[in-house]
Amino acid sequence: MVLGFVAASRWAFLRTTANCNQSLCGVGRRLFRDWEWINPTLDLVAGASCRRSRRWVMSRSTEDENGGGAPTRVEFGTFSIADPSKVKSEDRFFVVGNTGAVLDGVGGWATGNQPVDIGPFMDGLSHQLRSSIEISGLDNLTEQVDLSVQKVAQLAGSTTVLIAGLDTRDSTLRGVIIGDSLLAVIRKNRIVYQTAAGSYSFNFPFQVGMNCSPPREVAQLFDFRLQVGDWILLATDGLWDNLFGNDILACLAESDEEPDTAAKVLGSFTLKLSASDRLSPFEHNWNREAAKDPRLRKYRPWSGGKPDDITLIVGKVSGGL
């Protein structure tokens, strides 16, 4: 999720606000700032200039009607790679039936005088969530996350959580989001739905784990009616900090309608842009916040992409048996 690479002076402030050991999270302060970490997409036309026609896509639908066929399954493709500056990724993901999940472990635990390996926490929580989804499906998702977190409470670490899947009972995408790993639904070359991030402050997303607020205090449930042919994208902020909406659409257009191919194209392009000097959503957010926050203004302006662990799941919705 955060930190531990390039421009150390620029990361000093971020590292102090990265994990739940900070008193802000410990007391359970809640501050919903829906525009935080939302990808500033463009006109959603593949190939559009990245410096024009920027707009915000919030947690809402731009198409309310669900016509044409009943979705019955989702075929998934996945991609996950560590930040090139690190030995291993702190992200985790899993797919169970028509449901996918991504977890973005907080890198702030690995910094400081007593660095902590959050690998056991991430592995344990991912296992508990997967087992819970296999048993309970998409019902009571907040409670499922809460119980899963309790079962690994003795392990140090914290993470964002995004779980989403197709409920075939009513053709609805249902999910839960904690933090800034986001989901988007793409239909007919348009982003028609995107979740909103939850954060305490800039680069300090809601999270669960040791010393954090209970999931029930920071979880946001969502649902959206799906159609056959829809794409579903779940990804950690490693993608959303580097890709604009038109980038996503262009990558999907190169996928030949294959989720595995789409995941590889999106992941590879994200990795490339994270090391580039092209304008990125993170650059936009950083410089906007720096204009308002004196703690950020003492660092030089951000420029280009943001290296990070990158994990994503791409689903293609289909019908029939």
Side-chain angles (χ1 to χ4, degrees):
M1 169 184 298
V2 216
L3 329 177
F5 41 79
V6 298
S9 64
R10 193 163 39 173
W11 288 116
F13 166 72
L14 301 183
R15 282 176 176 157
T16 65
T17 59
N19 65 55
C20 286
N21 282 322
Q22 304 302 316
S23 59
L24 177 64
C25 190
V27 299
R29 175 183 171 189
R30 299 183 65 197
L31 177 61
F32 285 88
R33 302 174 68 179
D34 284 346
W35 43 263
E36 292 280 20
W37 295 102
I38 300 305
N39 187 25
T41 61
L42 308 183
D43 279 343
L44 309 180
V45 177
S49 168
C50 294
R51 297 181 181 271
R52 293 156 51 184
S53 304
R54 190 175 292 111
R55 69 185 181 90
W56 298 107
V57 176
M58 308 305 291
S59 179
R60 60 177 175 81
S61 165
T62 58
E63 291 187 6
D64 297 325
E65 297 300 323
N66 184 12
T72 58
R73 66 181 185 275
V74 183
E75 181 182 354
F76 291 107
T78 63
F79 179 96
S80 187
I81 191 170
D83 172 356
S85 71
K86 301 189 322 190
V87 175
K88 57 184 178 180
S89 174
E90 287 146 344
D91 290 353
R92 297 294 186 274
F93 71 93
F94 63 82
V95 171
V96 177
N98 289 326
T99 298
V102 294
L103 290 76
D104 187 354
V106 176
W109 289 88
T111 65
N113 296 328
Q114 295 181 314
V116 174
D117 177 11
I118 66 171
F121 167 79
M122 296 299 296
D123 291 337
L125 181 58
S126 180
H127 172 74
Q128 293 296 335
L129 288 170
R130 181 183 185 119
S131 298
S132 181
I133 295 295
E134 288 175 338
I135 295 171
S136 302
L138 297 169
D139 295 329
N140 304 311
L141 282 173
T142 301
E143 289 77 7
Q144 289 192 57
V145 176
D146 207 343
L147 290 173
S148 296
V149 170
Q150 291 179 35
K151 291 179 180 179
V152 295
Q154 77 281 6
L155 299 174
S158 58
T159 183
T160 68
V161 177
L162 173 62
I163 304 171
L166 168 64
D167 188 337
T168 57
R169 295 172 295 186
D170 57 3
S171 303
T172 298
L173 176 73
R174 302 191 190 283
V176 61
I177 178 175
I178 299 172
D180 58 2
S181 292
L182 303 179
L183 172 145
V185 177
I186 298 91
R187 177 179 300 159
K188 298 178 181 178
N189 202 39
R190 295 179 59 213
I191 296 177
V192 296
Y193 180 80
Q194 184 172 322
T195 54
S199 64
Y200 295 101
S201 60
F202 181 70
N203 209 37
F204 189 4
F206 293 155
Q207 51 201 262
V208 296
M210 185 172 284
N211 301 327
C212 289
S213 301
R216 61 181 177 275
E217 294 186 7
V218 290
Q220 302 176 70
L221 296 173
F222 60 89
D223 59 79
F224 179 73
R225 290 292 297 277
L226 292 172
Q227 296 182 13
V228 172
D230 286 349
W231 288 100
I232 305 169
L233 172 61
L234 301 83
T236 59
D237 65 343
L239 178 141
W240 302 107
D241 285 339
N242 289 293
L243 295 194
F244 290 94
N246 67 311
D247 298 322
I248 294 171
L249 298 179
C251 288
L252 291 178
E254 297 177 8
S255 68
D256 296 323
E257 300 296 312
E258 293 292 335
D260 283 334
T261 302
K264 292 175 183 177
V265 173
L266 278 164
S268 298
F269 192 51
T270 302
L271 182 62
K272 176 181 178 180
L273 290 184
S274 70
S276 78
D277 60 0
R278 194 197 76 162
L279 172 71
S280 68
F282 186 79
E283 175 186 348
H284 172 86
N285 289 335
W286 171 281
N287 293 329
R288 180 196 58 205
E289 287 301 299
K292 301 181 293 183
D293 191 333
R295 294 174 298 175
L296 290 177
R297 283 201 295 272
K298 63 182 180 180
Y299 303 113
R300 70 179 185 271
W302 191 274
S303 178
K306 176 175 175 282
D308 199 353
D309 297 338
I310 300 166
T311 297
L312 61 98
I313 299 175
V314 182
K316 185 70 171 178
V317 180
S318 60
L321 299 178

